Amino acid sequence: RGSYVGSSRFYRRASLNSQMKFLKFENINIATLIVAVFYLTLIIWWAFIQFFGVTDSSINYLYAFFYGLLPAITGIYCFIKSLKQKDNIKFTIMFFSLGLIFWGVGEFIWTYYNLILQVAVPYPSFADALFILSYPICTIAIFFTARLVGLDITVKGKFFKFFSVIFIFLVV
């Protein structure tokens, strides 16, 4: 009746124990707690902006700055960590983090236009270029993720390759 290393019962029990540790919050560190509190603060701030209708005020523009902090800091941290990785996981993390960095910096530039230059809707701007560039960068990360899990996604045919390049240039 005892479990041994090769039994599925052992693996289920070990998996259940690791899930229970997560539920008991034993793996939560201070950084995770800070991010959670920051995110909750952003949700409350957004609700305040929507409830009181202060979408054209500096409170909303400042919210965009802090909304960009989370992806920018996370992207920088993950990009630095990705440099130590190997193979496809390195490129997956690297491209996802670059997409986050572009999005965060886009939010910073948008806030700069709103608060410093007093432009209510800065469109088109360099911020929009960074927002748009984050999509193909994250798409590349998805392709690396597919390779990582064993899917082989290839582009076949000259017409499809040509169309893909034209589409990317039109989007950007």
Side-chain angles (χ1 to χ4, degrees):
R1 291 199 153 188
S3 63
Y4 58 92
V5 175
S7 74
S8 61
R9 179 182 287 170
F10 173 77
Y11 290 121
R12 279 184 275 163
R13 192 176 305 145
S15 176
L16 184 62
N17 286 340
S18 66
Q19 289 173 3
M20 295 306 286
K21 284 182 182 179
F22 178 73
L23 291 174
K24 292 180 183 178
F25 300 105
E26 292 179 9
N27 295 329
I28 301 294
N29 59 16
I30 191 70
T32 305
L33 187 62
I34 290 171
V35 168
V37 168
F38 185 74
Y39 188 66
L40 184 63
T41 304
L42 284 177
I43 291 172
I44 293 169
W45 194 345
W46 176 84
F48 174 82
I49 290 169
Q50 299 305 315
F51 184 73
F52 290 106
V54 289
T55 56
D56 291 335
S57 70
S58 59
I59 293 172
N60 186 31
Y61 301 148
L62 199 57
Y63 169 80
F65 174 79
F66 285 103
Y67 182 74
L69 270 180
L70 202 56
I73 291 173
T74 305
I76 291 168
Y77 176 79
C78 291
F79 186 82
I80 292 169
K81 289 293 187 178
S82 74
L83 297 175
K84 298 176 185 174
Q85 301 296 321
K86 301 205 186 294
D87 299 327
N88 284 338
I89 190 74
K90 175 180 185 172
F91 296 111
T92 300
I93 296 171
M94 188 180 295
F95 280 103
F96 270 129
S97 60
L98 280 175
L100 286 173
I101 291 169
F102 277 28
W103 192 270
V105 172
E107 290 288 346
F108 296 155
I109 293 171
W110 184 271
T111 304
Y112 174 76
Y113 275 106
N114 289 150
L115 288 177
I116 307 299
L117 300 179
Q118 300 294 317
V119 177
V121 181
Y123 182 80
S125 69
F126 187 62
D128 295 311
L130 292 176
F131 291 143
I132 291 171
L133 280 175
S134 69
Y135 290 116
I137 290 172
C138 288
T139 302
I140 293 170
I142 290 170
F143 281 113
F144 278 111
T145 304
R147 281 188 180 171
L148 190 65
V149 297
L151 295 175
D152 186 26
I153 300 173
T154 57
V155 178
K156 295 181 180 177
K158 291 180 182 179
F159 175 76
F160 189 73
K161 287 179 183 178
F162 175 76
F163 179 73
S164 299
V165 170
I166 295 299
F167 180 74
I168 289 172
F169 279 114
L170 288 176
V171 170
V172 175

